[in-house]
Amino acid sequence: MSSGEVGHWLRLQLLLVLLACTGPALADTRAWLDRDRVTDGGSVALTIQTDQAGTPDYTPLRADFSLDGQTVSSQVTIVNGSRVRRSLFGITLTPLRTGVLAVPALRVGAEHTAPLTLEVATAPPAGRGSGAVAFVETEVDDLQPYVQQSVGVVVRLYYATTLASGELVLDTPASTSLQRIGEDRISSEQIDDRRYTVVERRFLLVPERSGPLRLAGARFSGKGVGGFFSDIFARDAGRLGARAPDQTLQVRAMPAGAPQPWLPLQDLRLRYTAVPQSARVGEAVSFEIEASARGGTRAQFPELPVPSLGDAAQVFAEPPQYDETFSDGSPVLTLRRRYSLVPQQTGVLTLEGVKLDWWDVRAGQRRTAVVPDLELQVAAGGARLAAPPVVPAAAMRAGEGTALALERPLDESRWLWRGLAAGFALLWLLTLVWALLRRRPALPVVAVAAAVPADSGAVHTLADLRRSLDSGGLEEVVHILARMGGVDSLDAVMARLADEEQRQALERMQRALWAGEGDVAGARARLREVFRKGPHWRVPAGVEKPLLDPLYPGRDDGKPL
């Protein structure tokens, strides 16, 4: 039992002793409050006296009050030769709103208490210099935000006592989203002659429509740890309550001609954190771009674009890295993205700087954040495997040229190998003739994989496609799809695809990147979704049977006998 409950129990015992002398006339069920007027954040004690068996039903009280500190005491006395049993039930009520509140009739056994009324007045919010044991402050970083702007809200609770329990609440206004950010920060501060413990809690408020927005002040209710005698005689038994003033925000609508996607921020800066000093053809070099957005969050920030250099170079982007913090009452987003650049030709390579349009909420105007163009001097690539030298036909006929420098005079061993090769060739021709004579009509089969022509270069897999969809540019995605489909252009890929959703997703990404229509991040997400199981090509219903039967007729499992 806490010290507050001990004090309440002692008061009940004292009351029972006094009631024992009043006779059986006071044994009926009744209830009373220790006071009929209280300020917002305060509490009252409700006491019920009864001679009924059982306990009161407190359920009707929960509509307008929070309940705490229930106590019960009973005593049996002899009055005028009669045995009388009386019970006292106590409970602490904290009003949930201001105004005249009704304390409804409560049932105890077969009887009911009479209804009561309580007047709850609005208490002037206590603040700095008031000398209050506890007070609350609410700080908003922008009182005139735009629609969908991220607004930082900081709530600070100051208390100059030891808390046994407590609750700090900030209600979510209508037509907004409110999200708590991070963990509470605890510090201390000296105000006048009192040392306060400070609890700082941070929130992110996003208004969804324009017009006046009422932000109710944060409120605190709790119980402090006091001395034994103060708990016995104090009316609130160490209870504390505080409330910050209400505030009204004027939410502004999205201005005409605002950049799309809509990005309202306090500040946005772009910079290179790593740049290459030189480059060579065919060798990858890396650069990194950092975006620092004050008043921005990861959910609203667009993806940094992937530069396109056409045939001059290929650019591959890694997934961005995010870091969200809270500074001076406002959210701060830091985004970093690394790119790999593979030059395809020598000379001066100019990489156009990344640009982002945003809306300056402080100045009320459109701005553009940009990093400068990047120029690289591209040298020839390093040593590679040389192709076999081509010998002119005239030189071959004359017995000259570099290709003949490694030849040795023909001897008997070379004639032997040539004879063996001719014998194997004759045997292969005989086998081919035998297979053609035994050829049967082929059964139609369904193609399960896209064919890749022999001269298409490296064969790309579904894993390559997925990696490119996650971190590569549109050019890389198209290149891999073209290799998988055996074609050489985006138009040919579109014509080869049998799935209408896959064609539409490619067109959407193309418009987002090259025409500035739509959200690049959303287009990339749609590409990942429709190509999750790979491309669906237009393929013939069947394929011809191979010229040669399996090496071991009757076995189709690919295992040796």
Side-chain angles (χ1 to χ4, degrees):
M1 182 178 293
S2 68
S3 58
E5 293 173 345
V6 170
H8 195 67
W9 180 81
L10 289 176
R11 290 195 296 271
L12 288 176
Q13 291 297 324
L14 180 60
L15 185 58
L16 277 174
V17 173
L18 295 175
L19 290 173
C21 303
T22 62
L26 297 180
D28 294 338
T29 299
R30 68 190 188 96
W32 65 91
L33 298 170
D34 66 338
R35 48 183 164 167
D36 57 8
R37 189 178 189 277
V38 69
T39 57
D40 185 19
S43 59
V44 296
L46 172 66
T47 305
I48 300 174
Q49 171 202 325
T50 183
D51 59 358
Q52 296 288 306
T55 58
D57 180 10
Y58 295 123
T59 303
L61 296 171
R62 299 186 183 278
D64 292 319
F65 302 92
S66 63
L67 312 181
D68 192 17
Q70 299 184 36
T71 59
V72 60
S73 178
S74 62
Q75 184 176 8
V76 178
T77 60
I78 304 297
V79 180
N80 297 329
S82 299
R83 183 186 178 94
V84 178
R85 180 185 182 90
R86 297 184 180 90
S87 297
L88 281 180
F89 298 92
I91 189 168
T92 301
L93 307 181
T94 303
L96 298 179
R97 59 185 178 87
T98 58
V100 178
L101 305 184
V103 179
L106 303 178
R107 182 175 57 83
V108 186
E111 297 183 1
H112 289 78
T113 64
L116 305 170
T117 59
L118 175 66
E119 182 182 351
V120 183
T122 301
R128 294 174 178 268
S130 65
V133 177
F135 64 92
V136 181
E137 293 180 345
T138 302
E139 178 184 331
V140 181
D141 73 340
D142 194 343
L143 294 175
Q144 294 183 335
Y146 286 88
V147 170
Q148 297 179 0
Q149 177 183 336
S150 298
V151 180
V153 180
V154 179
V155 175
R156 296 184 183 91
L157 167 66
Y158 295 78
Y159 58 92
T161 185
T162 302
L163 290 183
S165 62
E167 183 181 26
L168 184 61
V169 178
L170 178 63
D171 294 327
T172 302
S175 302
T176 67
S177 66
L178 184 68
Q179 178 185 359
R180 181 175 171 180
I181 304 296
E183 300 295 329
D184 291 348
R185 294 183 178 180
I186 300 178
S187 59
S188 62
E189 184 176 342
Q190 183 75 29
I191 301 177
D192 296 334
D193 58 346
R194 279 192 167 182
R195 170 65 63 176
Y196 287 88
T197 299
V198 184
V199 178
E200 180 179 290
R201 185 170 296 177
R202 292 152 292 166
F203 297 87
L204 195 64
L205 177 71
V206 180
E208 299 296 340
R209 66 181 184 186
S210 59
L213 174 63
R214 178 179 175 273
L215 178 64
R219 63 183 186 275
F220 168 76
S221 60
K223 180 179 292 187
V225 178
F228 177 77
F229 291 101
S230 63
D231 283 339
I232 293 177
F233 298 105
R235 174 171 288 177
D236 289 330
R239 294 191 63 84
L240 297 174
R243 184 187 183 103
D246 297 345
Q247 299 185 61
T248 300
L249 282 65
Q250 296 295 332
V251 182
R252 293 177 282 181
M254 184 186 304
Q260 297 297 324
W262 171 239
L263 189 60
L265 300 171
Q266 297 178 21
D267 190 27
L268 175 62
R269 300 177 185 273
L270 299 180
R271 70 185 184 100
Y272 291 111
T273 57
V275 293
Q277 301 301 317
S278 61
R280 299 167 68 90
V281 172
E283 299 179 7
V285 292
S286 298
F287 64 94
E288 185 178 77
I289 297 177
E290 177 187 88
S292 179
R294 186 172 188 84
T297 62
R298 177 176 179 177
Q300 71 177 149
F301 205 83
E303 189 173 282
L304 290 179
V306 179
S308 176
L309 294 173
D311 296 334
Q314 290 182 317
V315 182
F316 307 95
E318 298 180 4
Q321 303 297 318
Y322 299 91
D323 183 24
E324 293 182 282
T325 59
F326 222 82
S327 176
D328 296 331
S330 301
V332 178
L333 173 71
T334 302
L335 181 151
R336 298 179 183 86
R337 193 170 197 188
R338 180 171 289 272
Y339 302 83
S340 295
L341 177 70
V342 183
Q344 303 296 308
Q345 59 191 27
T346 59
V348 177
L349 178 63
T350 301
L351 180 68
E352 185 177 354
V354 171
K355 299 179 180 180
L356 278 181
D357 293 328
W358 61 286
W359 186 263
D360 189 337
V361 299
R362 291 174 173 171
Q365 58 182 284
R366 177 178 184 151
R367 297 192 186 278
T368 300
V370 60
V371 291
D373 295 347
L374 184 63
E375 289 192 353
L376 287 175
Q377 184 65 44
V378 181
R384 300 182 181 179
L385 293 176
V390 178
V391 180
M396 291 290 290
R397 286 193 297 269
E400 300 173 354
T402 57
L404 301 182
L406 299 179
E407 288 200 15
R408 298 176 181 177
L410 298 178
D411 52 18
E412 292 83 354
S413 61
R414 293 194 60 183
W415 284 110
L416 175 62
W417 286 111
R418 288 186 176 182
L420 290 175
F424 279 118
L426 179 61
L427 181 60
W428 181 83
L429 287 174
L430 293 175
T431 304
L432 178 61
V433 172
W434 173 77
L436 291 175
L437 293 176
R438 295 183 67 253
R439 182 179 180 184
R440 297 185 299 270
L443 296 176
V445 296
V446 179
V448 296
V452 179
D455 60 348
S456 62
V459 177
H460 292 287
T461 64
L462 181 57
D464 297 327
L465 178 61
R466 289 174 176 169
R467 176 191 55 76
S468 177
L469 289 170
D470 287 335
S471 59
L474 178 61
E475 294 84 356
E476 182 185 1
V477 173
V478 172
H479 174 76
I480 292 177
L481 285 173
R483 293 299 191 186
M484 295 178 71
V487 294
D488 57 0
S489 66
L490 176 58
D491 291 338
V493 169
M494 298 284 236
R496 182 77 191 281
L497 285 171
D499 192 325
E500 179 63 25
E501 291 186 348
Q502 293 182 346
R503 290 198 298 269
Q504 291 177 357
L506 282 173
E507 292 173 352
R508 176 181 173 183
M509 175 61 84
Q510 188 178 18
R511 291 195 303 270
L513 286 177
W514 298 334
E517 301 176 2
D519 179 13
V520 175
R524 181 183 292 274
R526 181 58 179 164
L527 277 177
R528 295 193 194 102
E529 179 183 353
V530 298
F531 282 99
R532 180 171 56 88
K533 296 183 179 180
H536 302 294
W537 304 113
R538 300 180 187 273
V539 295
V543 296
E544 293 186 354
K545 182 180 182 295
L547 291 178
L548 293 178
D549 285 339
L551 184 59
Y552 299 100
R555 293 293 301 272
D556 57 359
D557 55 3
K559 299 179 181 179
L561 290 174

